[in-house]
């Protein structure tokens, strides 16, 4: 200020210097920038407040509309819908999510009450967002509970509440649901109305069902259940008058496991390895073990399985972790105790993979490899399980695997992938040479796994 006062006090007409002009312009620019930023922030906050007020009105309108619906068929169809609305040039997205509940204060999957499961209320959640929302701005949400204007559960009929979960334990929408009288119907009748597909929460509601026994089925192309089969079916679902029965499926788009048997082996004859014609493949998860039949003598195949985020161990052979005469631990390398490079006892190496529904994963399935020489073109090669030897955890089931005949005609040498365990070879022990870890015990050969990394 003193500077400008001195300038005004001058009596000469020399004017301001260039430096003074530049300084004045800089000060003006700084002040102007602050003013412009403040104005822009004010406009943004004003616009956001206006948009939020419009969003609140839209949410209230949607709640009022939901409260006015008395047709339960329309109520069932509300979940997962999103509508676009334009107000004052701004585009708003109004999302509606609904869920049947037996008690409005308790979160229950598909309305399945532990006590009665009777559908009495429908919870409605409305969420409104808009274009160009400020970062960190929360959507506008509004909730209510709707009591249908007409009876949902006829006292003389029943209800089937169906829940479909994917591999992650979340609801799977769009799955076709059906219910037909069981082979012992006990009064069951053909449904008068086709059930709706599962909603976004994986729920479907079969209403006003004649009491009796029903087979409830979930069907979707490319989907499998925990048993890796499609469709998923629950038989003899009992429905009583005035009550609800809950049915739950784990059903999801299958995951593709692309298997390469003896995939960890790269030594002599790796490109010529042959598998038994009748070798099963075992998938092991936290839900237990499932065996798939042979897919041929080639070293590659693809299996469609239920997707689990925890994945599967893949074992070549008929693994069965069962006490008594049906147990067979030998094919599972993890059941062995083998030494690593440091001489420490560790489990054997097992093939493992994890894939979500609709995706694929490559899995190398470790196996032993042997070379057999002096084989005629007409000779059939088989291996037969023997009593455990060495570190073999054992197999109490008599197994025989058939490699067929006509192997590498003219060479007299064949390369075979062999499940872990103790085996006798039909071609004679003298002509068998293990190319992976193997130990001869008289007339039998113990095929051992590689140590886990």
């Amino acid at each position: 200020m003193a500077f400008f006062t001195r300038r005004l006090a001058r009596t000469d007409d020399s004017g301001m210097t260039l430096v003074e002009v530049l300084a004045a312009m800089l000060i003006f620019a700084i002040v102007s920038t602050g003013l412009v930023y403040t104005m822009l922030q004010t406009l943004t906050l004003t616009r956001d407040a206006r948009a939020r007020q419009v969003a609140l009105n839209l949410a209230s309108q949607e709640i009022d509309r939901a409260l006015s619906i008395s047709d339960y068929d329309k109520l069932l169809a509300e979940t997962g819908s999103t509508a676009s609305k334009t107000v004052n040039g701004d585009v708003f997205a109004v999302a509606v999510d609904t869920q049947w509940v037996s008690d409005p204060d308790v979160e229950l999957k598909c309305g399945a009450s532990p006590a009665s499961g009777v559908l009495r209320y429908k919870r409605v959640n409305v969420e409104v967002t808009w274009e160009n929302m400020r970062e960190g701005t929360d959507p506008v949400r509004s909730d209510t509970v709707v009591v249908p204007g007409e009876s949902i559960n006829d006292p003389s009929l029943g209800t089937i509440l169906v829940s479909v979960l994917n591999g992650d334990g979340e609801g799977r929408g769009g799955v076709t649901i059906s219910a037909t009288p069981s082979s012992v119907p006990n009064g069951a009748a053909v449904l008068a109305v086709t059930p709706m597909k599962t909603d976004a929460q994986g729920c479907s509601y079969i209403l006003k069902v004649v009491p009796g026994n029903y087979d409830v089925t979930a069907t979707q192309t490319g989907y499998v259940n925990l048993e890796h089969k499609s469709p998923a079916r629950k038989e003899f679902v009992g429905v009583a008058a005035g009550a609800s029965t809950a049915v739950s499926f784990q059903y999801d788009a299958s995951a593709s496991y692309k298997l390469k048997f003896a995939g960890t082996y790269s030594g002599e004859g790796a490109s010529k390895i042959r598998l038994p014609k009748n070798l099963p493949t075992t998938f092991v998860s936290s839900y237990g073990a499932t065996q798939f039949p042979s897919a041929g003598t080639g070293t590659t195949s693809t299996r469609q399985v239920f997707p689990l985020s925890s994945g599967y161990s893949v074992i070549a052979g008929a693994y069965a972790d069962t006490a008594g005469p049906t147990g067979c631990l030998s094919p599972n390398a993890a059941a062995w105790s083998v030494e690593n490079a440091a001489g420490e006892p560790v489990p054997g190496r097992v093939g493992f993979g994890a894939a979500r529904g609709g995706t694929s994963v490559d899995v190398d399935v470790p196996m032993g490899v042997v070379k057999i020489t002096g084989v005629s073109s007409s000779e059939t090669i088989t291996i037969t399980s023997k009593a455990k030897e060495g570190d073999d955890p054992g197999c109490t089931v008599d197994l025989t695997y058939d490699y067929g005949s006509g192997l590498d005609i003219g060479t007299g040498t064949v390369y075979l992938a062999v499940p872990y365990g103790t085996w006798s070879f039909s071609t004679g022990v003298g002509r068998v040479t293990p190319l992976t870890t193997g130990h001869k015990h008289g007339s039998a050969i113990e095929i051992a796994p590689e140590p886990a990394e």
Side-chain angles (χ1 to χ4, degrees), residues 39 84-85 93 119 129 200 267 273 350 374:
M39 292 174 64
S84 179
K85 298 184 180 182
L119 298 175
T129 57
I273 293 175
V350 178

Side-chain angles (χ1 to χ4, degrees), residues 287-302:
Y287 289 91
T290 301
Q291 288 186 20
F292 289 88
S294 170
T297 57
T299 56
T300 60
S301 68
T302 300

Side-chain angles (χ1 to χ4, degrees), residues 31 40 55 70 82 89-90 123-124 130 141 154 229 253 272 280 288 294 309 321 327 350 367 392 402 424 432:
V31 173
L40 289 176
S70 59
T82 301
D90 294 323
R123 181 177 296 154
V124 181
W130 54 94
R141 295 184 176 89
D154 189 311
K229 299 177 181 178
K272 301 178 181 180
S294 170
S309 57
D321 183 12
V350 178
M367 295 183 68
D392 183 358
D402 180 6
S424 64
V432 179

Side-chain angles (χ1 to χ4, degrees), residues 149-174:
E150 62 179 86
S151 175
I152 294 177
N153 292 85
D154 189 311
S156 64
L157 303 175
T159 303
I160 302 177
L161 314 177
V162 183
S163 170
V164 178
L165 304 178
N166 62 15
D168 294 327
E170 300 173 350
R172 174 61 77 182

Side-chain angles (χ1 to χ4, degrees), residues 277-292:
K277 297 189 296 182
N278 58 333
L279 178 71
T281 305
T282 306
F283 279 70
V284 182
S285 71
S286 56
Y287 289 91
T290 301
Q291 288 186 20
F292 289 88

Side-chain angles (χ1 to χ4, degrees), residues 99-441:
Q99 180 182 9
W100 281 112
V101 293
S102 297
D103 185 334
D105 295 324
V106 180
E107 190 75 25
L108 300 170
K109 188 65 180 176
C110 299
S113 167
S116 65
V118 175
L119 298 175
R120 296 186 295 163
Y121 307 94
K122 186 144 194 177
R123 181 177 296 154
V124 181
N125 310 103
V126 179
E127 180 178 283
V128 183
T129 57
W130 54 94
E131 289 183 337
N132 302 318
M133 291 177 63
R134 294 175 61 232
E135 184 177 353
T137 300
D138 294 327
V140 170
R141 295 184 176 89
S142 187
D143 305 278
T144 190
V145 173
V146 177
V147 180
E150 62 179 86
S151 175
I152 294 177
N153 292 85
D154 189 311
S156 64
L157 303 175
T159 303
I160 302 177
L161 314 177
V162 183
S163 170
V164 178
L165 304 178
N166 62 15
D168 294 327
E170 300 173 350
R172 174 61 77 182
V175 176
T176 299
I177 301 299
S178 64
T180 57
S182 297
S183 56
V184 182
N186 194 28
V190 176
L191 299 180
V193 179
T194 301
M196 296 181 64
K197 291 185 177 182
T198 55
D199 59 24
Q201 297 168 336
C203 302
S204 181
Y205 310 91
I206 308 176
L207 307 175
K208 298 184 178 180
V209 180
V210 176
N213 296 328
Y214 291 84
D215 294 340
V216 181
T217 304
T219 308
Q220 183 76 352
T221 303
Y223 280 40
V224 294
N225 60 10
L226 270 174
E227 289 74 41
H228 318 294
K229 299 177 181 178
S230 186
R233 175 172 295 181
K234 295 289 179 70
E235 298 181 352
F236 289 98
V237 175
V239 177
S244 297
T245 301
V247 178
S248 179
F249 294 98
Q250 284 198 273
Y251 195 53
D252 200 355
S254 62
S256 296
Y257 276 62
K258 298 180 179 180
L259 311 179
K260 184 175 182 181
F261 294 92
T264 58
Y265 177 76
S266 59
E268 178 187 346
S271 62
K272 301 178 181 180
I273 293 175
R274 184 178 178 125
L275 265 65
K277 297 189 296 182
N278 58 333
L279 178 71
T281 305
T282 306
F283 279 70
V284 182
S285 71
S286 56
Y287 289 91
T290 301
Q291 288 186 20
F292 289 88
S294 170
T297 57
T299 56
T300 60
S301 68
T302 300
R303 294 296 187 186
Q304 304 297 329
V305 301
F306 183 81
L308 291 177
S309 57
S310 56
Y312 293 87
S313 296
V314 186
I315 299 169
Y319 166 70
D321 183 12
T322 306
T326 58
C328 191
L329 301 178
S330 299
N332 184 6
W336 292 61
S337 178
V338 294
E339 290 187 356
N340 60 15
E344 302 167 333
V346 296
R349 181 178 180 182
V350 178
F352 177 83
R356 291 184 176 275
T359 66
S360 64
V361 62
D362 296 327
V363 179
D364 288 331
V365 183
M367 295 183 68
V369 178
V370 301
K371 177 174 72 173
I372 303 181
T373 56
V375 182
S376 69
S377 60
S378 60
E379 190 166 7
T380 297
I381 300 177
T382 61
I383 60 175
T384 304
S385 60
K386 305 297 289 184
K388 65 178 182 178
E389 296 282 357
D391 295 320
D392 183 358
C395 183
T396 56
V397 181
D398 292 331
L399 298 175
T400 298
Y401 291 132
D402 180 6
Y403 291 87
S405 60
L407 308 177
D408 289 350
I409 297 175
T411 67
T413 302
V414 297
Y415 299 90
L416 307 180
V418 181
Y420 300 125
T422 305
W423 306 93
S424 64
F425 288 74
S426 61
T427 55
V429 174
R431 291 181 288 176
V432 179
T433 303
L435 299 179
T436 57
T437 303
H439 307 281
K440 291 187 177 182
H441 300 279

